[in-house]
Every structure is written in C-alpha cells, then in structure tokens.
C-alpha cells in the first residue's frame, strides 16, 4: 500500500485566519471565544461562541461567486486555498484526474436555510434564490473546492456529526493508500452560529452559559465545566502519496499512519460507558499504524468540556494506554478550550494541530484547567504550552449517534 503524508495545511479558526496565526495563538493559550455578533442573540440563554473574526471571503473567492455559497463553504474555500498554497501543489491535467476532495460537514448551510425560510414566508416562493439549495447542501464545500482547484477525482462529503472532518481525512487517506488517488484535499468545515444552531444545542442543555466570562467558558477536564461552546471554522490538509511527495521534494509535516472508526451503538448523544466505543476506535487506529500504545507521545482529545464526555474519554484513554497514560507519560490536551467546538470541522482542525505538533515539537495546552476533575486523572498540559519531540500523535473525534474516529499521525522516518 502507498504511504500517505501531509504536505499542506490551511486553517480558518476562531483564534486566527491562517495556519501560522492559528498555531501561534494556540501555543500562546489565547481564547477565541466571545460574545456572538453574527445575529441578535439577546433573547437566548447562550450568547457566546467561537466566531471567525474579521472574515473577508473576497480574499479567497471572487465576489460574483459568493451568491452561490453559504458561510461554511466560504470558510472551506479559504482554508483549502491556504493548504494548496502551503503545499506548493501543481498538477498536470492527467494528475488532476487522480486528485480528489473530501470535506466533512456536520450540518450544512444553516445561514442559507434560515434566510431562505424568511424570504419564503415574507415574499413567497417566486422570490427564493436559485442558489438556495447549492448553499444549503453539505457536499458543496467539497464541490466548490474541487471546482476552484480542478480536482477531478472523487469528491464527496462525510457527515458524521463532530467526527465529520476526521472521517474525511481518514477516508481520503484510504483512497491514496489503495493507489486509486495520488493527491487528496481533505478536511472539514462548519458555520452554525445561527439562531437555529445555537437554540438547538441550547435546548439540549449542551452549551456553556458563561456569558459574562466567555474566554473561560470552555474548561475541559475541569470540575467547573458546564458544557461546550459552539465554534465555526475550517481545517483543510493536502494529502499525497509519499512517492509523489518525495519525487517533487515537498515539505512533509507528518505521515497518516493509523485510522480507526467505530460506533457506540448505545445512545443518541451520550457516550458508551467507559468510552467503550472510543476505546475500540483508538485500538483500531493503533493496530492500523502498527504501534503499541506506549509509542504515542501526544493525544489531541475530543475534550469538549461536557460533564459526561470528558470523563468517559479519560476512562477510555486510561483503558487503552494503561500506565502510559495514568503515569502521565502521554500528554493529552484539548484545543477546544481555546476555539470552542467546531463540530464538523473540529476533527480536521485538530488533526492539523497534531501535524504541526509533530513538525514543530510544541504541544498546545488545555487552557482554563485550574481545578482538575479527579475523574479525569491524566496529564492535560494545563494552561501552558510545552516542548516535546513528538514521534506519534493521536487525534480523537466523537459525535452524536455514537460515531467515533481516531487518526494517528507520525513523524516521517
């Protein structure tokens, strides 16, 4: 099988527009969570989120094209443009037929959906935009990225709630591994900071209500956590076969060595007891990577800052890694403490964080961790970034419906 490497990264996140900007903010422990400005939320119990601030889509997209797309697609196009540029990716017409695009999206175009409903109710069906459906449907992030970059191989969307972006990278890697593609542009995108998005999660009592202290609203693994913070953004990576990357002398951030996926088959929103499904996902990824648990140096946790989720993930990590985890030899952190939960984009952004961790030997912290929950007994890199030569990193992404995805990235040897 072909080996798969990451040669380009593009990030659009609540802590920065750009990979360098986002990475610098994460290492500095800067929070991107603040008051919601994208709509009037004065009647809501939850009035904070991780918004992408200062987003100007015309940096990446022709103004005439904007009418075709929702905000989530704009963010994907921005991140993809950065990733392709970072990879210095150039292809012949023939090579484009073996280059594809998978972008995971959890919910799709809520901005467009809500605007369309308002137009329909106020002005009637004849005034609905012909771009409404292309704006709403989730696969148009991958579709628009494919159009923009001439990617003529497979193009589709993985929709698996909060695992969507990680599944997209895992599936894209499989296409290269099997020799059916040489290049894949893959990741996730989400933009659901809308009345429907916030009210829906609010009704589930899933969100933090720390409206008066937004920068401390996401404290994963802390006793005071009271729910996750909604975020938006996009993370896109360029994946190539090692053969192609070496032939063209590409810079390589790391290798995708392991991919695991499982289902809890347990509950609509709650994880299985002891994170049993997450355990299987992690073990599958380790087996795929042909690594023993004690080879992993760093885990970017799902770590959403929910009462049940953080405990069950910690139990799952302890079960899989044993003394390597409980003796705090593997470092774990949740970058959601700074960005909030980017839903369908989360797994992709956090996989990119793992690649940067391997490439630069720096581990981003879990901020706001001041009173660690004794049920979460691992080393969560509290508050301050650390340096470490990371050989192998793991990213966990879990979602509603019991879907689990784990990726292992490795330093190229």
């Amino acid at each position: 099988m072909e080996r798969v490497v990451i040669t380009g990264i593009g990030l659009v996140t609540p802590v920065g527009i750009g990979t360098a900007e986002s990475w610098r903010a994460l290492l500095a422990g800067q929070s991107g969570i603040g008051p919601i400005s994208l709509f009037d939320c004065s009647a809501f119990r939850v009035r904070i989120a991780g918004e992408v601030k200062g987003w100007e889509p015309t940096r990446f997209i022709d103004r005439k094209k904007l009418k075709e797309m929702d905000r989530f697609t704009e963010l994907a196009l921005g991140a993809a443009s950065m990733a392709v540029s970072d990879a210095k990716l150039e292809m012949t017409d023939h090579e484009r037929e073996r280059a594809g695009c998978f972008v995971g999206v959890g919910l799709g175009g809520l901005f467009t959906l809500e605007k369309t409903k308002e137009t329909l109710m106020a002005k009637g069906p004849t005034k609905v935009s012909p771009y409404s459906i292309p704006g709403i449907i989730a696969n148009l992030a991958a579709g628009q990225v494919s159009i923009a970059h001439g990617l003529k191989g497979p193009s589709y969307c993985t929709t698996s709630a909060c695992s969507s972006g990680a599944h997209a990278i895992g599936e894209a890697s499989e296409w290269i591994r099997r020799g059916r593609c040489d290049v894949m542009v893959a990741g996730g995108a989400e933009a659901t900071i809308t009345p429907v998005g916030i009210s829906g999660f609010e009704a589930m009592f899933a969100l933090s209500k720390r409206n008066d202290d937004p920068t401390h609203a996401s404290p994963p693994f802390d006793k005071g956590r009271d729910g996750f913070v909604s975020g938006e953004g996009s993370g896109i990576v360029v994946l190539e076969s090692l053969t192609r990357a070496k032939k063209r002398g590409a810079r390589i951030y790391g290798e995708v060595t392991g991919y695991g996926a499982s289902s809890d088959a347990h509950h609509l929103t709650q994880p299985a007891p002891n994170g049993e499904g997450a355990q299987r996902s992690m073990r599958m990824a380790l087996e795929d990577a042909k690594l023993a648990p004690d080879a992993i140096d760093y885990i970017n946790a799902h770590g959403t800052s929910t009462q049940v989720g953080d405990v069950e993930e910690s139990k799952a990590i302890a079960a899989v890694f044993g003394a390597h985890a409980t003796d705090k030899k593997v470092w774990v952190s949740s970058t959601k403490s700074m960005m909030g939960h980017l839903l369908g984009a989360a797994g992709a952004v956090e996989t990119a964080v793992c690649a940067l961790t391997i490439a630069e030997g720096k581990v981003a912290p879990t901020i706001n961790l001041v009173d660690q929950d004794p049920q979460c007994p691992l080393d969560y890199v509290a508050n301050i970034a650390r340096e470490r030569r990371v050989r192998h990193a793991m990213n966990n992404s879990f979602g509603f419906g019991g879907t689990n995805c784990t990726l292992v990235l490795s330093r190229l040897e």
Side-chain angles (χ1 to χ4, degrees):
M1 291 198 304
E2 288 281 0
R3 294 169 68 182
V4 183
V5 293
I6 296 174
T7 58
I9 297 174
L11 294 176
V12 178
T13 74
V15 296
I17 297 173
T19 303
E21 292 82 355
S22 294
W23 182 234
R24 186 163 51 245
L26 292 173
L27 291 178
Q30 295 176 3
S31 174
I33 297 166
I36 292 172
S37 65
L38 290 168
F39 68 95
D40 180 3
C41 61
S42 56
F44 287 64
R45 294 192 300 273
V46 174
R47 299 186 293 279
I48 56 173
E51 296 181 348
V52 174
K53 302 160 195 70
W55 174 245
E56 179 44 67
T58 54
R59 280 182 57 189
F60 308 100
I61 307 161
D62 186 278
R63 189 175 297 277
K64 294 178 181 178
K65 291 275 293 178
L66 291 176
K67 64 180 179 293
E68 301 177 6
M69 60 191 72
D70 189 85
R71 185 176 172 92
F72 81 96
T73 301
E74 294 177 8
L75 300 177
L77 280 164
S81 176
M82 294 177 199
V84 169
S85 176
D86 184 44
K88 297 179 174 60
L89 186 65
E90 296 181 357
M91 293 178 286
T92 65
D93 288 344
H94 174 68
E95 288 175 320
R96 292 180 188 280
E97 295 178 4
R98 291 178 56 82
C101 181
F102 298 164
V103 181
V105 178
L107 280 166
L110 290 191
F111 281 88
T112 302
L113 178 62
E114 294 180 38
K115 181 181 176 181
T116 300
K117 180 63 181 298
E118 289 172 4
T119 300
L120 179 63
M121 293 295 97
K123 300 180 180 179
T126 62
K127 298 300 181 181
V128 169
S129 168
Y131 297 110
S132 293
I133 298 301
I136 294 168
I137 55 179
N139 79 295
L140 256 292
Q144 290 279 19
V145 170
S146 295
I147 292 166
H149 298 282
L151 307 172
K152 297 183 177 181
S155 167
Y156 58 77
C157 171
T158 51
T159 295
S160 51
C162 308
S163 301
S164 300
H167 275 127
I169 293 173
E171 291 301 312
S173 298
E174 289 299 305
W175 275 77
I176 297 174
R177 278 179 163 188
R178 296 194 299 265
R180 299 185 66 186
C181 283
D182 301 312
V183 177
M184 294 295 291
V185 177
E190 199 81 270
T192 59
I193 304 174
T194 72
V196 167
I198 297 298
S199 65
F201 284 122
E202 183 182 275
M204 298 173 70
F205 301 100
L207 299 179
S208 172
K209 295 186 285 293
R210 294 187 186 183
N211 299 312
D212 297 331
D213 191 15
T215 60
H216 296 96
S218 181
F221 311 110
D222 189 274
K223 285 200 294 187
R225 65 192 184 279
D226 71 331
F228 73 84
V229 177
S230 280
E232 62 173 0
S234 180
I236 302 289
V237 297
V238 174
L239 303 170
E240 295 185 62
S241 68
L242 178 60
T243 301
R244 186 183 194 277
K246 279 189 168 182
K247 184 177 180 180
R248 72 179 187 89
R251 176 188 55 189
I252 294 172
Y253 287 96
E255 181 178 2
V256 181
T257 50
Y259 171 35
S262 71
S263 174
D264 286 356
H266 170 69
H267 188 271
L268 190 66
T269 59
Q270 298 298 320
N274 300 309
E276 186 273 334
Q279 289 185 44
R280 286 186 285 110
S281 180
M282 286 187 275
R283 289 194 172 105
M284 188 187 301
L286 288 169
E287 182 179 356
D288 190 39
K290 297 178 175 60
L291 292 174
D294 62 6
I296 300 295
D297 299 307
Y298 169 64
I299 300 172
N300 189 292
H302 187 57
T304 58
S305 192
T306 60
Q307 282 290 334
V308 176
D310 288 5
V311 170
E312 297 304 331
E313 183 176 11
S314 296
K315 289 179 180 178
I317 292 171
V320 171
F321 290 89
H324 188 56
T326 55
D327 291 348
K328 302 184 178 181
K329 294 175 182 176
V330 60
W331 294 355
V332 182
S333 73
S334 171
T335 43
K336 289 184 179 74
S337 60
M338 294 170 274
M339 294 183 284
H341 191 349
L342 274 57
L343 307 178
V349 169
E350 292 157 11
T351 298
V353 167
C354 287
L356 291 164
T357 299
I358 289 169
E360 301 207 3
K362 296 177 181 178
V363 176
T366 305
I367 68 167
N368 303 322
L369 182 50
V370 295
D371 189 9
Q372 188 166 323
D373 187 337
Q375 297 183 89
C376 303
L378 312 180
D379 184 344
Y380 301 107
V381 192
N383 300 306
I384 304 295
R386 301 179 194 164
E387 294 190 3
R388 182 174 191 174
R389 186 179 187 274
V390 174
R391 301 160 300 160
H392 307 284
M394 174 179 282
N395 173 238
N396 280 334
S397 297
F398 313 136
F400 287 175
T403 183
N404 307 299
C405 182
T406 300
L407 295 168
V408 173
L409 271 59
S410 302
R411 180 182 295 276
L412 184 66
E413 302 293 349

